């Protein structure tokens, strides 16, 4: 079952940036804010600093797949904004996944062991 909707509107991104919890490393920055819904809303920011459209889309596809495969491990009811940093373009899939999961754990986005 799909528990995630896209986050597309600028004011929702700004609200996550200004009022959400944040955590970052050299590859990604993660902003999380509770939204009071049953589903998560997910948005990506991939700057032109990363490279041309092919590079940016590759990073975006990888991040979307990382989220999709780990969606069941995440709590519900949050707005999640993933910001790709310049080093994300030269990182492989496993490095990005490790980075995403570490940041999600730091922001208490991952479910506790044994909970549904």
């Amino acid at each position: 079952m799909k528990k995630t909707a896209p986050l597309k509107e600028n004011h929702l991104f700004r609200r996550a940036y200004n009022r959400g919890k944040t955590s970052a490393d050299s590859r990604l920055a993660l902003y999380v804010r509770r939204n009071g819904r049953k589903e998560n809303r997910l948005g990506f920011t991939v700057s032109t600093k990363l490279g041309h459209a092919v590079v940016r889309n590759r990073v975006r596809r990888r991040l979307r797949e990382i989220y999709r495969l780990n969606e069941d491990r995440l709590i519900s009811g949050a707005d999640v904004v993933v910001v790709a940093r310049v080093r994300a373009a030269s990182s492989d899939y496993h490095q990005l996944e490790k980075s995403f999961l570490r940041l999600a754990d730091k922001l208490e986005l991952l479910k506790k062991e044994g909970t549904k």
Side-chain angles (χ1 to χ4, degrees):
M1 181 172 85
K2 189 173 182 181
K3 302 181 291 189
T4 304
L7 187 68
K8 293 184 176 183
E9 297 180 20
N10 191 353
H11 72 93
L12 296 174
F13 276 87
R14 284 196 319 261
R15 189 179 297 159
Y17 293 146
N18 295 330
R19 297 188 190 145
K21 292 194 286 182
T22 183
S23 186
D25 65 7
S26 62
R27 291 179 179 88
L28 300 174
L30 208 61
Y31 296 86
V32 176
R33 182 176 184 274
R34 301 297 286 178
N35 63 17
R37 297 172 167 227
K38 292 183 180 179
E39 64 184 7
N40 288 344
R41 292 187 291 193
L42 177 67
F44 296 102
T45 302
V46 182
S47 170
T48 55
K49 292 178 186 178
L50 268 71
H52 296 293
V54 173
V55 175
R56 295 194 309 269
N57 288 331
R58 182 184 312 122
V59 170
R60 203 174 295 120
R61 279 194 311 269
R62 285 179 178 170
L63 292 173
R64 202 175 295 124
E65 182 69 3
I66 288 167
Y67 184 88
R68 185 186 71 82
L69 292 175
N70 293 291
E71 186 175 22
D72 292 335
R73 297 175 62 187
L74 303 175
I75 61 169
S76 297
D79 289 343
V80 180
V81 177
V82 182
V83 179
R85 297 212 165 152
V86 175
R87 282 193 60 194
S90 61
S91 301
D92 68 8
Y93 176 86
H94 297 293
Q95 291 171 328
L96 287 174
E97 183 175 38
K98 184 177 176 184
S99 180
F100 176 80
L101 291 175
R102 184 174 52 247
L103 295 176
D105 187 39
K106 200 183 278 190
L107 292 172
E108 300 170 356
L109 192 59
L110 294 179
K111 292 178 184 175
K112 303 292 183 214
E113 292 296 322
T115 59
K116 240 183 172 180

